Every structure is written in structure tokens, then in C-alpha cells.
Amino acid sequence: MTFSVIAHDPVSGWTGVAVASCVLAVGARVATARRGVGVAVGQASSPLWHREAVLDLLARGAAPKEAVAAVAALPDADDRQLAVVDASGRVAAWTGPGCDGEAGHRLGEHVSVQGNTLADGVVDALWAGWTVNPAEPLAERLLAALAAGEAAGGDRRGRQSAALFVVGGDEPVDLRVDDAEAPVAELGRLLTVDRAHRLFREAYGCWRKGDAGEAVPLLRRAQELAPGDGLIAAWAPRILGVED
């Protein structure tokens, strides 16, 4: 019912996941991320605690392969799917032989793509989407992979929710679309707004310090990304120095 991509960016040190499904609120059900530990997904019939168990094992010093193997060895693992990437970029995954429909995963350096109950070719599409723009920030690459999987048919039963988590810095990316007709597209819109708000906060910080020369270009870029955003519009006159 779900497809996802997990990855680590060795340049920034950030780790993240993007996931989509035909179920409600997939961001609350499938993926989890911990700064300094890694990212895990528990898909198909995996209980919610499996994803946490994998990260618990990583935090205690287990390698990703060991952590996934330990959880996959539990009873009834044949219809479960797990994947993990740790904070150094090591990856591991498990797709049980009982997972429904087209199901599988593909591992690469610092990345794993996986899914179940898929349209034909979705895993390959996820991989291709991930590789298109290697110079892009991690969040954008994850979203590109997810969008490619969706374009290839995604979850063969439909679409309802999507989520994106990226951890590693002081301010993580944590975006969720719990119920939408086009959740992956909406997730992309939210990421753009998130980028705009980050620029706005940077502009606001410069303005508070009295540095209008730094603040104004940052604000202009935020306005370009999210021209109708209420928060940015409310503060723009002050930062631009055009208040009545």
C-alpha cells in the first residue's frame, strides 16, 4: 500500500525519507526519523513499533543490516517491509515474500527505495527519480523520487497521503499531507512554502539586527516562492521599510 525513498546526503550530513500511500496520514504510520541516528520505514503489514525498534537498535550500536535482520526475524515477517538508513549513510531493507502485489526494494550508496501493492515499474521509477538531479538538496531529491514513483502509477489502489522528513540540522523538514486528491503534488507545494518561510525567518533575523541590506534580498526571494503567503505579506512592509 506504500512506496518510499530513504537516503543520506554525505555532503550535508542530513538524512531523510519521502513516502506516499493510499492510506490516511501515512506520515504518522510508516516513517520515523531521529537526528544523529537515522530514518526507518515500516511498510506493508509492519506494526507501528517496528520502525522504532529498528532505530532503537541503531542507537544501541547495531548496523542497519543487523537491525533489519533482527526485526525481520520476528514472527509473521513474511508480509512486512522494512528499510533503514543510518546517520552515516549505511542502508538495509527487507521485503517479505508475502507482501501484496508488485513489491520490492533497491539499495544503493546512501539510498534505498521500496514499495508494495505497486503498479508495474514503480520501484525502478523511484530509483530513476532519485538519480536525476544529484546536486539538488536532499529534500528536493527525495520529493523528485516520490513524484517519479507517483507518475509511474504509485500505489495501484489509489492515493491519499504523503510525507517528507529530513533531519540532521538545527531545523528539520517535517511536512505531511494527510488526506488529498494529489498528495505528492501538495507535498511539493508545501516544500516550496517551507523554503519560503526559512528565507523569511532569515530575513527577519537580519532585520532585527538592523541589517536591511541582507534582509531585503532574502525577503524578496521568499515572496517569489510564496507570493500569496499571509505571514510573509504581513511582515514585508516593515522589513522593506515602507510602512505607513
Side-chain angles (χ1 to χ4, degrees):
M1 298 182 291
T2 302
F3 57 101
S4 64
V5 50
I6 60 173
H8 170 75
D9 178 8
V11 176
S12 68
W14 289 59
T15 310
V17 54
V19 57
S21 183
C22 71
V23 303
L24 181 71
V26 69
R29 298 168 61 89
V30 167
T32 189
R34 294 186 203 170
R35 181 179 177 181
V37 178
V39 171
V41 291
Q43 300 177 180
S45 297
S46 296
L48 296 181
W49 64 268
H50 276 190
R51 57 186 185 166
E52 299 293 346
V54 169
L55 292 189
D56 285 343
L57 289 168
L58 292 187
R60 295 170 186 169
K65 286 185 178 180
E66 295 169 336
V68 168
V71 177
L74 295 171
D76 302 320
D78 280 1
D79 57 354
R80 296 169 184 167
Q81 189 171 47
L82 298 165
V84 63
V85 56
D86 71 8
S88 65
R90 297 178 298 174
V91 294
W94 158 265
T95 299
C99 288
D100 289 338
E102 179 164 327
H105 61 267
R106 181 172 175 180
L107 300 177
E109 188 174 9
H110 302 285
V111 63
S112 176
V113 298
Q114 49 278 322
N116 61 89
T117 322
L118 301 175
D120 292 344
V122 170
V123 171
D124 288 340
L126 288 165
W127 186 266
W130 167 256
T131 61
V132 169
N133 292 307
E136 286 286 305
L138 179 59
E140 278 74 7
R141 292 192 72 188
L142 292 168
L143 184 61
L146 202 68
E150 178 68 15
D155 188 326
R156 70 182 187 188
R157 304 196 309 175
R159 56 190 58 82
Q160 187 168 11
S161 63
L164 174 67
F165 306 129
V166 179
V167 296
D170 293 333
E171 189 175 1
V173 177
D174 185 351
L175 302 173
R176 307 183 187 200
V177 179
D178 287 343
D179 183 19
E181 292 185 3
V184 175
E186 176 63 7
L187 190 63
R189 186 191 71 81
L190 290 179
L191 180 59
T192 299
V193 175
D194 178 80
R195 296 306 194 202
H197 275 234
R198 290 169 190 264
L199 288 168
F200 163 72
R201 290 192 291 272
E202 190 176 352
Y204 177 80
C206 292
W207 174 73
R208 287 292 301 269
K209 295 175 183 177
D211 192 348
E214 290 288 336
V216 170
L218 291 167
L219 178 69
R220 292 297 192 196
R221 287 166 57 196
Q223 289 176 313
E224 291 173 0
L225 287 176
D229 187 83
L231 177 65
I232 296 172
W235 279 93
R238 299 187 191 185
I239 296 175
L240 296 174
V242 294
E243 286 187 286
D244 294 333

